[in-house]
Amino acid sequence: MKFSAWVPMAIAVLLALLGSVYVVSEGESAIVLNLGKVVRSDVGPGLHFKIPFVESDRVFDQRLQVLDANPERYLTSDKQDISLDFFAIGRIADVRAFYRATGGDEEVAVQRLAPIIKNALTGEINSRTLQQVVSGDREKVVARQLASINQGAGTLGVKIIDIRIKRVDLPEDSNVLKSVYDQMRS
């Protein structure tokens, strides 16, 4: 055989070899898809092999990540309007469930996770007075709801480790702020 006949075969073999290897770094987990169907999940760190052109890999970061939410308005049990700013810390716990629920898109996961957290916080804030929310132990407010939040987040393959309240404000356009200032003046 001539040298020129070997070149296309060598290139094809090289492409097949490169297409059959993938790397999962520390702190990551992967799934392997065979024509779109998950065949292997929770593939740990290291060098791994797959069938070229038939199987594909998706690698996901399993380190802790922060979901920073926009401030939301809540109503306390004494009918006072407050603005609550919080963030959540979580990670992907089940890569297969995460891929099935979100298609592997982290933005979709954030969009689906935010209402779960906000609904849980709404219930907790609604059961407390303004005094309890502002001066109370913020960690207790969140700790009571963490189990129910994780139950909803589990359907997305995500586990929320902690939720922190950054700030509790009285909205500028509410009557609460005016009444607080009137009390301070008197």
Side-chain angles (χ1 to χ4, degrees):
M1 258 192 187
K2 291 183 174 181
F3 177 72
S4 61
W6 285 93
V7 173
M9 281 197 329
I11 290 174
V13 168
L14 182 64
L15 286 175
L17 182 63
L18 290 175
S20 67
V21 176
Y22 66 100
V23 177
V24 179
S25 299
E26 194 69 34
E28 294 179 336
S29 185
I31 60 172
V32 176
L33 305 167
N34 187 335
L35 301 175
K37 181 181 175 189
V38 178
V39 290
R40 290 189 304 269
S41 64
D42 293 325
V43 178
L47 181 65
H48 302 282
F49 296 95
K50 62 183 177 177
I51 301 170
F53 310 115
V54 176
E55 292 183 338
S56 61
D57 62 286
R58 295 284 308 265
V59 179
F60 299 100
D61 191 356
Q62 284 201 301
R63 295 176 295 181
L64 293 178
Q65 297 182 17
V66 176
L67 164 71
D68 197 13
N70 293 326
E72 289 287 322
R73 292 178 82 157
Y74 297 94
L75 200 60
T76 62
S77 66
D78 54 352
K79 307 296 183 222
Q80 301 296 324
D81 193 22
I82 63 168
S83 177
L84 188 72
D85 194 6
F86 68 92
F87 65 92
I89 301 170
R91 64 180 190 83
I92 299 172
D94 183 359
V95 178
R96 181 183 292 246
F98 179 78
Y99 182 77
R100 283 186 178 159
T102 65
D105 189 358
E106 290 182 13
E107 270 306 309
V108 172
V110 168
Q111 289 172 356
R112 291 185 183 170
L113 194 57
I116 294 170
I117 296 170
K118 289 174 185 176
N119 288 340
L121 286 177
T122 298
E124 191 63 32
I125 298 297
N126 289 348
S127 68
R128 295 176 180 268
T129 65
L130 178 63
Q131 176 86 21
Q132 290 170 334
V133 171
V134 173
S135 65
D137 190 11
R138 292 179 182 183
E139 291 163 2
K140 287 183 184 176
V141 171
V142 172
R144 291 181 53 187
Q145 296 300 318
L146 206 52
S148 67
I149 290 170
N150 275 324
Q151 196 171 32
T155 61
L156 299 173
V158 176
K159 179 175 171 76
I160 300 297
I161 307 299
D162 196 11
I163 297 174
R164 294 293 173 157
I165 297 174
K166 292 192 281 188
R167 200 167 76 194
V168 178
D169 284 332
L170 302 172
E172 298 284 331
D173 60 342
S174 71
N175 292 332
V176 177
L177 197 56
K178 183 181 179 299
S179 67
V180 167
Y181 286 143
D182 289 343
Q183 272 185 332
M184 292 166 93
R185 282 188 204 107
S186 65

